[in-house]
């Protein structure tokens, strides 16, 4: 153990999950619960001419049928991230318009799931169909709206002049496909009203407090009247951050019916109604001097959204942090298509953005005959080129050097198609990783030291499989001087203090300083240095517990530094050219994420990111039927992603130092950085192996034949 890498306790929630003791949203047992099944549109564009619900209403067990003709009451929310935030700005069943295939056009409620589903299929719909817009070449593009108040346009210097002055120049277009979150736990919700003003929601939510405020805004009731319960989440990856139309529809129908109501989405419904990562098209030009120093970077991106929400995949945001160039231009456009609404998905923007940037850097390295690691070192940024702030605890160069050494990069054959093994071509590739370090204010944690010698830590944060339970227990154990087994952690309930959002890889950085503060406060109240002496005092006092609630205080360096996490991937691929089979043979990842709270769960986050990136690089694509606009993948079998057999051993190392400019724990975040750069590392290795430059993901066999 050193200063950077923390202890390695195993998952607190591991046993509960593998033994089925962990209760997910749809598994909560509520007396008198009834079931809702969605009716969805079979066209992608047009309007409903008529909708006949008579047969459905008469079907056995049916309690209610809702369509745009009788939508359950719900108010338009502020939808501004502060008061409330929903994924799709249009409210469900708002009118007779159809904007995408699979759009929710009704909800049938019955006493059993099977009867609700059966009756949903009895709803007769007649459409006035218009031709949907599904072809990126026929879309009209507009300037992408700003995200979190930041414009997506940027320019420094004169890019045109920079390119003209460059000794070497490359320009290429890189594409990514529509991807699905494909998490294990389906989207589901149980809404349980007590009267019309008190609501309990069981749903997988990455943001307990946000969800609480949003339902309060949707029904114009005080947030204290809304309780969100989400102890376990079976994966979210960004798609469970805010309520979707089905959540809103379930909660409003349950209110009208005054019966607890459950809605579970089928995998097919999830392809249209629970978000995806938009396909992207990016053009990058790099201009460099003969020594490899960049003089111009021109990066423009296009992504697609639905007609009912402006969501941009912000591809160019990461570019100004990566490499220094006096002339830099960024531009981002958004095209509207008749597809479901996209949303945040693991490293939104940074992931497709670095696919393009890190592929282009590799192309430039070949062009200049400079080692790709060396090219990156020569162009390292000293400051963030958007705000001019220097980076805190960067250590990117160390990631590159340690990774190169661990991988054996110095032995890299300098020619393409120069290595074969067992009849297969072998290639090596590398790429950089980057993700901003974010944190949220106003986070609080309650810590209790009980007379039985255990500690309880309570906060309305959540664990979507990332390890929140575990790192909280580890932190409390360290501060209190207790074994981690004696720390109980309770999360995922809005009755607990605001624990923040599991999004933007910010939960650890937001929460851990508050856990430390609360535990330190408990010791202070006890006037003790450790839990042991505090316990002796507790027994003397006859009190049941020492208890404190605390927040992380102080804005540590927010205006002085730019905070990013950094890393590098190195990989080896093999290509069997006869059958165009591409396999990943070897993987090394080196990351600087500030202090590592738990070496085991942090490395698992990086491995998960790499695995998800391998899926994106090799397999994952959601196609839409060109005529009806329906996703032609619809479950975990038709949406291809990796299994164990596709994944090599992934060696993960953490370097750098704790980032105390960022917070008292020196910790940044690790949820998303692991997926960044993965696709580029693989495509770069494929080029080295085969001499084929693949610029469109995924790298399916047809692209290697
Ligand atoms: Mo993440 S895409 O911010 O859940």
């Amino acid at each position: 153990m050193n200063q950077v890498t923390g202890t390695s306790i195993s998952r607190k929630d591991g046993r509960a999950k593998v033994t089925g003791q962990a209760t997910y949203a749809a598994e909560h047992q509520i007396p008198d619960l009834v079931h809702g099944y969605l009716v969805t549109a079979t066209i992608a564009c047009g309007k409903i001419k008529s909708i006949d619900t008579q047969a459905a209403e008469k079907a056995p067990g049916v309690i209610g049928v809702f369509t745009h003709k009788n939508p359950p009451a719900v108010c338009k929310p502020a939808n501004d991230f502060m008061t409330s935030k929903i994924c799709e700005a249009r409210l469900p069943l708002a009118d007779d318009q159809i904007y995408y295939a699979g759009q929710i056009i009704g909800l049938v409620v019955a006493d059993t799931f099977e009867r609700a589903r059966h009756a949903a299929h009895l709803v007769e719909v007649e459409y006035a169909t218009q031709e949907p817009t599904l072809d990126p070449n026929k879309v009209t593009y507009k300037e992408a709206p700003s995200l979190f108040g930041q414009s997506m346009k940027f320019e420094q210097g004169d890019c045109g002049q920079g390119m003209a002055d460059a000794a070497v120049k490359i320009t290429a277009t890189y594409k990514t496909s529509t991807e699905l979150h494909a998490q294990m736990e389906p989207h589901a919700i149980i809404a349980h009203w007590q009267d019309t003003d008190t609501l309990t929601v069981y749903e997988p939510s990455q943001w307990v407090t946000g969800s609480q405020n949003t339902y309060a805004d949707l029904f114009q009731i005080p947030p204290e009247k809304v309780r969100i319960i989400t102890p376990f989440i079976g994966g979210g990856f960004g798609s469970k951050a805010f309520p979707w139309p089905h959540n809103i529809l379930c909660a409003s129908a349950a209110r009208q019916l005054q019966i607890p109501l459950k809605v579970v989405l089928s995998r097919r419904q999830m392809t249209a109604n629970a978000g995806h990562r938009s396909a992207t098209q990016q053009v990058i030009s790099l201009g460099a001097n003969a020594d490899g120093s960049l003089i111009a970077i021109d990066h423009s991106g296009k992504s697609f959204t639905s007609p009912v929400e402006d969501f941009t995949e912000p591809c160019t945001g990461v570019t100004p942090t990566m490499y220094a160039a006096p002339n830099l231009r960024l531009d981002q456009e958004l095209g509207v298509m008749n597809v479901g609404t996209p949303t945040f998905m693991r490293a939104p923007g940074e992931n497709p953005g670095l696919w393009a940037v890190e592929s282009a850097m590799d192309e430039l390295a070949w062009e200049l005959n400079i080692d790709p690691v060396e090219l990156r070192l020569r162009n390292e940024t000293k400051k963030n080129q958007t705000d001019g702030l220097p980076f805190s605890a960067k250590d990117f160069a160390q990631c590159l050097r340690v990774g190169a050494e661990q991988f054996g990069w110095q032995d890299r054959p300098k020619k393409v198609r120069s290595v074969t093994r067992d009849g297969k071509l072998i290639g090596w590739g590398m790429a950089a990783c980057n993700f901003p370090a974010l944190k949220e204010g106003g986070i609080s944690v309650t810590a209790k030291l009980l007379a039985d010698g255990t500690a309880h830590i309570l906060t309305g944060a959540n664990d979507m499989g990332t390890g929140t339970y575990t790192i909280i227990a580890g932190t409390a154990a360290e501060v209190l001087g207790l074994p981690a087994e004696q720390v109980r952690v309770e999360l995922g309930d809005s009755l607990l203090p605001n624990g923040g959002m599991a999004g933007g890889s910010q939960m650890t950085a937001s929460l851990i300083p508050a856990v430390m503060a609360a535990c330190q406060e408990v010791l202070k109240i006890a006037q003790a240095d450790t839990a042991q002496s505090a316990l002796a005092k507790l027994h003397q006092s006859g009190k049941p517990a020492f208890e404190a609630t605390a927040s992380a205080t102080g804005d540590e360096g927010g205006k002085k530094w730019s905070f990013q996490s950094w890393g590098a991937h190195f990989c080896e691929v093999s290509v069997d050219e006869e059958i165009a089979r591409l396999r990943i043979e070897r993987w090394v990842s080196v990351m600087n994420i500030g202090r590592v709270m738990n070496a085991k769960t942090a490395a698992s986050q990086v491995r998960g990111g790499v695995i998800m990136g391998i899926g994106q690089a090799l397999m994952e694509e959601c196609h839409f039927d060109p005529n009806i606009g329906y996703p032609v993948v619809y479950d975990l079998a038709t949406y291809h992603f990796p299994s164990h057999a596709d994944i090599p051993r992934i060696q993960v190392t953490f370097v750098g130092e704790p980032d105390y400019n960022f917070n008292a724990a020196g910790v940044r975040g690790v949820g998303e950085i692991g997926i960044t750069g993965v696709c580029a590392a693989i495509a770069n290795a494929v080029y080295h192996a085969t001499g084929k430059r693949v610029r469109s993901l995924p790298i399916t066999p047809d692209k290697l034949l």
Side-chain angles (χ1 to χ4, degrees):
M1 195 174 77
N2 59 31
Q3 240 211 326
V4 171
T5 310
T7 48
S8 252
I9 56 173
S10 293
R11 270 178 196 275
K12 287 291 271 185
D13 51 340
R15 178 176 292 269
K17 281 185 166 175
V18 297
T19 56
Q21 300 298 303
T23 306
Y24 293 90
E27 298 175 325
H28 288 277
Q29 300 299 312
I30 313 293
D32 305 319
L33 180 84
V34 297
H35 302 261
Y37 198 88
L38 301 175
V39 184
T40 56
T42 54
I43 65 161
C45 187
K47 62 192 267 188
I48 298 169
K49 268 209 306 215
S50 70
I51 185 160
D52 181 352
T53 56
Q54 280 184 37
E57 280 159 26
K58 284 194 209 116
V62 169
I63 294 158
V65 180
F66 298 95
T67 70
H68 70 278
K69 290 177 162 175
N70 63 333
V74 60
C75 305
K76 200 163 177 53
N79 199 19
D80 57 3
F81 279 101
M82 306 300 288
T83 319
S84 56
K85 176 69 194 140
I86 58 177
C87 287
E88 188 169 294
R90 176 183 181 268
L91 290 171
L93 312 184
D95 51 41
D96 59 359
Q97 299 295 309
I98 305 296
Y99 297 99
Y100 55 87
Q103 178 187 313
I104 299 169
I105 56 168
L107 178 75
V108 176
V109 179
D111 56 352
T112 71
F113 173 78
E114 289 76 12
R115 285 170 144 183
R117 184 176 57 185
H118 172 70
H121 289 111
L122 300 177
V123 174
E124 294 279 351
V125 189
E126 246 193 288
Y127 299 99
T129 308
Q130 283 174 276
E131 188 167 345
T133 306
L134 297 161
D135 181 350
N137 299 316
K138 292 187 187 151
V139 173
T140 27
Y141 292 91
K142 58 179 176 184
E143 193 181 319
S146 60
L147 187 68
F148 304 120
Q150 277 223 307
S151 165
M152 295 206 199
K153 256 191 179 341
F154 179 79
E155 184 148 19
Q156 71 181 18
D158 180 342
C159 231
Q161 190 57 48
M163 289 297 171
D165 294 345
V168 177
K169 203 177 105 175
I170 61 130
T171 296
T173 301
Y174 303 93
K175 292 182 182 176
T176 64
S177 294
T178 305
E179 295 161 70
L180 303 177
H181 298 76
Q183 65 282 74
M184 292 265 277
E185 182 204 13
H187 281 258
I189 171 171
I190 296 171
H192 186 187
W193 287 87
Q194 295 82 43
D195 254 323
T196 55
D197 70 342
T198 307
L199 170 65
T200 305
V201 171
Y202 304 83
E203 65 176 10
S205 169
Q206 291 177 228
W207 191 17
V208 175
T209 307
S211 203
Q212 178 186 26
N213 290 334
T214 299
Y215 287 106
D217 200 20
L218 283 162
F219 297 107
Q220 294 293 301
I221 54 177
E224 308 83 72
K225 292 284 197 178
V226 179
R227 183 176 177 193
I228 308 295
I229 297 177
T230 181
F232 296 99
I233 304 174
F237 307 118
S239 79
K240 291 170 177 169
F242 325 108
W244 286 99
H246 72 272
N247 300 86
I248 300 168
L249 186 53
C250 176
S252 53
R255 187 189 202 202
Q256 179 161 330
L257 296 170
Q258 286 291 301
I259 318 175
L261 174 63
K262 169 154 84 175
V263 172
V264 179
L265 263 56
S266 68
R267 288 282 162 190
R268 171 166 275 252
Q269 288 166 350
M270 277 169 63
T271 61
N273 295 306
H276 59 266
R277 192 203 301 274
S278 166
T280 68
Q281 297 183 0
Q282 301 170 66
V283 183
I284 290 207
S285 296
L286 299 178
N289 294 318
D291 68 355
S293 53
L294 287 165
I295 45 179
I297 303 173
D298 192 345
H299 185 183
S300 64
K302 285 187 170 106
S303 74
F304 308 94
T305 192
S306 74
V308 286
E309 175 69 42
D310 272 354
F311 181 88
T312 308
E313 182 74 22
C315 303
T316 55
V318 69
T319 310
T321 62
M322 288 308 296
Y323 303 111
N327 307 295
L328 178 61
R329 198 186 73 90
L330 308 174
D331 189 20
Q332 178 99 26
E333 288 183 315
L334 185 61
V336 177
M337 290 212 279
N338 292 109
V339 297
T341 297
T343 193
F344 301 95
M345 182 169 155
R346 206 174 197 170
E350 294 84 7
N351 166 298
L354 283 182
W355 148 246
V357 170
E358 292 301 292
S359 291
M361 284 296 277
D362 197 70
E363 299 205 37
L364 183 65
W366 282 101
E367 191 72 32
L368 288 159
N369 196 23
I370 295 177
D371 184 283
V373 173
E374 181 56 32
L375 182 66
R376 284 163 174 83
L377 288 169
R378 279 184 203 176
N379 287 291
E380 235 207 311
T381 42
K382 299 227 162 25
K383 57 185 175 86
N384 188 330
Q385 293 172 99
T386 46
D387 56 18
L389 296 175
F391 294 110
S392 176
K394 185 174 176 185
D395 298 310
F396 176 46
Q398 201 186 345
C399 296
L400 290 167
R401 292 198 176 104
V402 171
E405 189 181 316
Q406 287 185 354
F407 190 82
W409 189 256
Q410 69 278 6
D411 301 327
R412 172 175 169 269
K414 302 288 185 294
K415 280 204 171 79
V416 301
R417 301 185 69 87
S418 59
V419 184
T420 54
R421 195 168 64 216
D422 304 331
K424 286 174 256 175
L425 289 164
I426 303 294
W428 290 3
M430 60 79 53
C433 319
N434 185 292
F435 196 82
L438 309 171
K439 67 181 171 186
E440 194 180 341
I443 304 305
S444 324
V445 169
T446 298
K448 296 181 191 178
L449 184 66
L450 305 181
D452 64 2
T454 63
H456 285 193
I457 310 294
L458 303 101
T459 179
N462 58 60
D463 189 331
M464 59 168 156
T466 44
T468 320
Y469 282 110
T470 315
I471 57 165
I472 290 176
T475 304
E478 195 179 296
V479 177
L480 295 169
L482 277 178
E485 300 77 51
Q486 274 165 250
V487 181
R488 205 180 87 195
V489 182
E490 221 175 293
L491 305 175
D493 189 330
S494 60
L495 290 180
L496 304 175
N498 175 15
M501 179 202 244
S505 299
Q506 70 185 344
M507 182 158 271
T508 302
S510 312
L511 199 53
I512 290 302
V515 173
M516 288 165 59
C519 292
Q520 282 155 356
E521 192 59 29
V522 162
L523 292 177
K524 206 167 130 193
I525 290 168
Q527 295 180 304
D529 290 337
T530 65
Q532 215 181 4
S533 57
L535 271 172
K537 294 197 174 167
L538 183 63
H539 292 148
Q540 275 171 12
S541 75
K543 286 185 194 161
F546 287 132
E547 175 178 341
T549 298
S551 300
T553 48
D555 176 20
E556 301 88 353
K559 299 276 183 297
K560 281 189 242 152
W561 302 97
S562 181
F563 298 107
Q564 303 276 326
S565 283
W566 300 85
H569 297 298
F570 293 80
C571 72
E572 177 180 296
V573 303
S574 69
V575 178
D576 184 338
E577 280 203 309
E578 270 180 42
I579 55 170
R581 184 169 67 184
L582 165 59
R583 289 189 61 88
I584 315 299
E585 302 287 352
R586 210 151 65 80
W587 200 280
V588 168
S589 299
V590 180
M591 300 281 156
N592 163 26
I593 58 166
R595 186 176 164 211
V596 179
M597 297 314 300
N598 180 321
K600 199 185 245 181
T601 53
S604 291
Q605 282 302 296
V606 175
R607 289 195 181 98
V610 172
I611 293 166
M612 207 165 169
I614 290 174
Q616 179 186 28
L618 269 53
M619 305 162 194
E620 296 185 37
E621 54 185 332
C622 176
H623 289 290
F624 296 92
D625 183 299
N627 298 308
I628 58 166
Y630 225 101
V632 295
V633 304
Y634 49 86
D635 58 20
L636 297 183
T638 49
Y639 185 71
H640 294 175
F641 55 84
S643 65
H644 283 290
D646 299 303
I647 304 300
R649 196 177 106 78
I650 299 166
Q651 187 179 325
V652 179
T653 304
F654 295 104
V655 298
E657 54 199 281
D659 190 349
Y660 293 118
N661 291 325
F662 193 45
N663 57 38
V667 61
R668 294 200 290 242
V670 67
E672 292 165 270
I673 188 169
I675 197 175
T676 68
V678 171
C679 295
I682 292 170
N684 297 344
V686 166
Y687 179 75
H688 187 222
T690 65
K692 283 197 180 101
R693 178 60 67 178
V694 183
R695 300 190 183 91
S696 131
L697 295 177
I699 309 171
T700 41
D702 53 299
K703 293 175 188 165
L704 294 177
L705 280 170

